[in-house]
Amino acid sequence: MTDFFKDIPRITYQGPEASSEFAFRHYNPDEVVLGKRMEDHLRFAVAYWHSFAWPGGDPFGGQTLDRPWFGDTMALAKQKADVAFELFDLLGAPFYCFHDADVRPEGASFAESLRNLEEMVDYFGQKQASHKTQLLWGTANMFSHRRWMSGAATNPDPDVYAYAAANVKAMMDATAKLGGQNYVLWGGREGYETLLNTDLRAERQHAGRFLQQVVEYKYKIGFKGTILIEPKPQEPSKHQYDYDVATVYGFLKEFGLEAEVKTNIEQGHAILAGHSFEHELALAASLGIFGSIDMNRNDYQSGWDTDQFPHNHPEMALAYYEVIRAGGFTTGGTNFDAKIRRQSLDPEDLVLAHVGGMDTCARAMKAAAALWEAGDLEAARQARYAGWDTPAAQAMLKGGLAEAAARVTAEGLEPQPKSGRQERLENLWNRFV
Ligand code: XUL
Ligand code: CO
């Protein structure tokens, strides 16, 4: 045991009237909603990078957080892991997620970095064996070190492509060894800064072949998890290739991967792409590529990827409604890709940020589940499209344009506009949140 969280109690469900700050008011892991325990619906994960590796910097200033485990030795990396599992225990979190660079010191060579990673994977394996918390997903950080500045698989330098392959292979091996349920690829610098020096076609071909190699390797090692792509439109690159769900789907189709790869959709990334979170979730579900979510929020005024903890449950209810409509998570879950603010120095801040995030999501999920159970919204949606249930309507989809057009004169069609009832549906929605 470290003493980092000393005197902070284990967080338990105490109901909305709880008097302590250190309590769940809405997240009751054992409460059954839509036939499933809340814990199994939400599948919360803590993100290692924000909570244990981030020093508190912003574009104008450096480290504000002073953590006893900061430093480049294996002993400190293990201390960090000890503290991480203590937080997971306090929260009762079922999952965590990490990048290679979050957990091991960078070595002087790839071989040394790999040895460091493998030692940490063994350490995590021991921790997982004696704790509840398991691995939701692993991923490779191919954006922080200067070698990635012009991209990883899309780098003009083929040696960097090789280095990217080595990193992803190592992290897929690590994820498989730890029983991870997914493997995530977020194309941190897979994009461009200026078209003046960029061959879009070559970079796309290399990214597509790289992803095929990832899928081939998944089968080679018998990894049972899901491969996930995480869309984001910009930041750090000016333009990222995995812009949004629609763009990712087109990319997967081009390289024959649409049945192999799904999406990890992040709230803040959806907003940066000019969409709502629920739009991205609904679109992915409708395309059969919904996998998992990165939960957070951005500051709506600054336009930066500020990765804050969610605290707006009516907004999140719209998202969880789409998760429910999609049939819920299978291998995916709710990963808090969220960090405390750089002024939030205390260990309590780190714990309570997660408590608030988990409560916000639980409240949202319960509201969405109640509306789903009531069925009014789905009934209204079905009624709106009911005209398509007729044989004549279905026949139009089988025949050609001329046959469809012939109905107009043959049946004397004169379409009558019908109300979309938006405000009535919004009022219905508000009765549940
Ligand atoms: C960056 C981001 C990453 C990915 C994993 O915006 O979301 O943390 O989730 O690399
Ligand atoms: Co993310």
Side-chain angles (χ1 to χ4, degrees), residues 331-399:
T331 60
T334 302
N335 170 47
F336 287 106
D337 195 350
K339 56 178 181 259
I340 48 177
R341 299 303 84 194
R342 70 197 291 270
Q343 298 178 54
S344 301
L345 304 180
D346 302 338
E348 286 83 353
D349 294 321
L350 188 55
V351 176
L352 292 174
H354 285 89
V355 171
M358 290 161 85
D359 260 349
T360 299
C361 293
R363 207 170 169 186
M365 162 63 81
K366 280 192 264 194
L371 181 52
W372 176 259
E373 220 153 28
D376 309 62
L377 203 56
E378 291 320 296
R381 198 193 312 265
Q382 269 168 24
R384 190 158 182 248
Y385 290 87
W388 281 96
D389 295 341
T390 64
Q394 286 302 315
M396 284 195 299
L397 300 178
K398 298 200 182 79

Side-chain angles (χ1 to χ4, degrees), residues 160-299:
V160 181
Y161 186 103
Y163 220 91
N167 274 256
V168 169
K169 177 183 174 299
M171 264 313 289
M172 286 179 75
D173 289 340
T175 303
K177 192 164 183 188
L178 291 170
Q181 301 208 7
N182 309 270
Y183 185 82
V184 166
L185 295 117
W186 168 59
R189 294 190 191 272
E190 308 293 32
Y192 66 80
E193 291 303 315
T194 172
L195 273 180
L196 298 178
N197 65 11
T198 302
D199 182 342
L200 281 181
R201 187 180 159 74
E203 295 203 2
R204 187 175 176 88
Q205 291 304 315
H206 298 161
R209 182 62 198 132
F210 191 84
L211 191 55
Q212 288 170 341
Q213 289 171 342
V214 166
V215 171
E216 288 159 15
Y217 191 67
K218 165 186 157 156
Y219 287 108
K220 185 170 174 187
I221 62 173
F223 175 57
K224 296 282 178 287
T226 310
I227 305 290
L228 300 171
I229 290 262
E230 184 175 322
K232 187 175 183 182
Q234 73 269 334
E235 227 188 288
S237 300
K238 168 189 158 51
H239 179 101
Q240 306 232 159
Y241 297 138
D242 302 333
Y243 197 96
D244 59 2
V245 167
T247 308
V248 166
Y249 188 70
F251 177 81
L252 295 178
K253 281 289 253 190
E254 181 179 348
F255 294 96
L257 295 169
E258 70 274 17
E260 298 288 349
V261 177
K262 297 191 185 322
T263 45
N264 180 39
I265 302 171
E266 179 163 325
Q267 201 277 355
H269 297 181
I271 309 295
L272 286 177
H275 302 303
S276 65
F277 190 28
E278 58 273 18
H279 164 89
E280 289 289 82
L281 297 170
L283 182 61
S286 76
L287 295 168
I289 57 167
F290 168 66
S292 197
I293 63 181
D294 266 9
M295 179 55 77
N296 57 21
R297 76 187 146 105
N298 285 348
D299 184 289

Side-chain angles (χ1 to χ4, degrees), residues 14-58:
Q14 295 177 25
E17 309 306 327
S19 55
S20 168
E21 261 189 302
F22 295 92
F24 292 124
R25 288 170 166 71
H26 302 281
Y27 177 55
N28 180 1
D30 292 321
E31 184 178 334
V32 173
V33 172
L34 299 177
K36 217 157 75 172
R37 293 171 65 250
M38 290 285 285
E39 181 174 80
D40 302 329
H41 267 296
L42 291 159
R43 294 167 59 83
F44 286 129
V46 175
Y48 212 93
W49 51 103
H50 287 313
S51 290
F52 308 108
W54 181 63
D58 73 6

